Amino acid sequence: MKKVVIDCDPGIDDAMALLMAFASDEIDVLGITAVSGNVPVENTAENALALTELAGQDIEVAAGACKPLSKAPHHAYHVHGDNGLGGVSLPAKGKLSSSTAVELLIDRIKAHPGKIEIIALGPLTNIALLLKDYPEAVEQIKKIIIMGGALKGGNATDFAEFNIYADPHAADIVFTSGVPVDMYGLDATNRVLLSPEEVKGLASMGGKVLTPLAKMLDFYLSFYKSVGYEGLGMHDPFTVACVIDPSLSQMVETAIRVECDDPVTMGQTMMVEDVPACCRAAVEPDSEAFKTLFLDLMKSFL
Ligand code: BDR
Ligand code: CA
């Protein structure tokens, strides 16, 4: 089993990604850290904790950064709703960790040197702070798997994907840190859509986990319809799926820098040659195989 910590900003697609990770036998989730992103960190942390409880998981959840390194917070209420879960209320009964996100991350890294993979599904603020506070972690983290960026295009702007746009300075620190990075950007994730019929199929399964999930997906679908998509963007779930089964995407080796200065292209992820290539970017997703895996894992909640 891969030992992972998931850093996230739930977020409706983060919620699906967390449920996939909980259900998979390939992944051992040793902790969850929350970051400001789709909604403020108070909500993302509460949502992450509530999702662990909903799925009957006993996993420590720690809150992290409440704002990006050098710019004002940027949220996506129009995509994920005011509470981050499409208005679906999942009150957490338990308590968040007394550790910060960085403390939880470094604890797991030191406990399992060379073994921890960090799956980053939100802006990279917590991970950049970890690397700044504990530079030795660079040698001790096995890999960082990022949902973010794009080799071409964007969704927050024409040039930038949301997670990178929200904290470009943090993203540039992570991409140039020397830790091996797998980037699942929009080139891959925009081609992995769950259709309205598949969402209906999920809703019809019922049960205490899939019923609230299906309500969240209705909200998420209305956003995707409003921007002309034929289905739901499975950005974060596809990223977790590729940790479970790396054959779901082809990868190209590259080095990545992030535009941090130009107000027009801010947050753009650029292929460069002036830093060693320690990144692989996803290019060819196997959408059908992904959906089979996703639906199989969701059925385990029935
Ligand atoms: C990413 O942005 C967020 O809104 C989603 O949760 C996903 O992580 C997609 O660009
Ligand atoms: Ca996310």
Side-chain angles (χ1 to χ4, degrees):
M1 262 180 141
K2 292 180 175 169
K3 294 184 190 311
V4 309
V5 177
I6 302 182
D7 186 73
C8 56
D9 61 338
I12 298 171
D13 64 327
D14 302 73
M16 289 187 275
L18 286 172
L19 293 175
M20 287 185 83
F22 298 157
S24 170
D25 291 337
E26 303 293 327
I27 294 186
D28 189 8
V29 184
L30 299 184
I32 298 174
T33 52
V35 68
S36 168
N38 288 318
V39 288
V41 72
E42 295 77 20
N43 298 99
T44 62
E46 170 91 2
N47 291 344
L49 183 61
L51 287 158
T52 61
E53 292 175 359
L54 181 71
Q57 301 283 315
D58 185 17
I59 299 173
E60 190 174 346
V61 179
C66 60
K67 59 182 174 50
L69 296 187
S70 310
K71 68 189 278 235
H74 178 74
H75 304 305
Y77 295 113
H78 60 303
V79 184
H80 299 273
D82 288 347
N83 73 345
L85 298 179
V88 174
S89 169
L90 289 181
K93 298 181 196 75
K95 277 205 173 358
L96 289 170
S97 172
S98 55
S99 300
T100 63
V102 169
E103 287 167 350
L104 186 152
L105 282 157
I106 196 65
D107 176 79
R108 302 307 190 265
I109 292 163
K110 300 260 184 222
H112 306 279
K115 298 257 164 50
I116 295 291
E117 302 187 32
I118 301 173
I119 305 178
L121 305 176
L124 291 161
T125 321
N126 288 341
I127 316 299
L129 291 171
L130 166 77
L131 297 175
K132 280 173 94 173
D133 290 356
Y134 298 94
E136 70 275 21
V138 167
E139 303 297 332
Q140 298 167 347
I141 300 168
K142 185 171 180 191
K143 192 189 273 195
I144 303 175
I145 299 101
I146 294 174
M147 190 287 123
L151 297 178
K152 194 166 185 300
N155 57 3
T157 71
D158 286 347
F159 299 94
E161 181 279 333
F162 175 84
N163 288 336
I164 307 298
Y165 180 77
D167 197 343
H169 304 87
D172 197 50
I173 289 172
V174 174
F175 278 112
T176 56
S177 66
V179 180
V181 168
D182 281 353
M183 169 176 123
Y184 292 90
L186 299 175
D187 321 277
T189 66
N190 262 344
R191 295 165 60 187
V192 185
L193 301 177
L194 200 68
S195 71
E197 294 69 36
E198 287 160 334
V199 174
K200 269 193 204 134
L202 206 65
S204 71
M205 291 182 204
K208 85 173 179 46
V209 175
L210 299 187
T211 301
L213 179 66
K215 288 203 184 108
M216 294 175 210
L217 297 189
D218 276 345
F219 185 96
Y220 195 49
L221 189 57
S222 59
F223 164 75
Y224 275 96
K225 276 190 182 152
S226 75
V227 290
Y229 278 59
E230 284 169 8
L232 297 178
M234 300 297 277
H235 310 286
D236 295 343
F238 182 69
T239 303
V240 165
C242 291
V243 178
I244 295 171
D245 178 0
S247 77
L248 291 176
S249 184
Q250 289 179 34
M251 312 294 285
V252 292
E253 292 214 0
T254 182
I256 296 282
R257 291 296 309 256
V258 179
E259 178 58 55
C260 293
D261 298 320
D262 185 319
V264 175
T265 56
M266 169 89 78
Q268 183 175 21
T269 42
M270 300 166 294
M271 296 172 94
V272 292
E273 288 174 2
D274 59 347
V275 280
C278 64
C279 176
R280 302 185 317 152
V283 284
E284 285 291 334
D286 186 339
S287 174
E288 287 312 308
F290 161 76
K291 284 199 238 183
T292 304
L293 174 65
F294 172 72
L295 292 171
D296 277 355
L297 290 174
M298 292 304 105
K299 280 179 199 151
S300 71
F301 291 107
L302 293 176

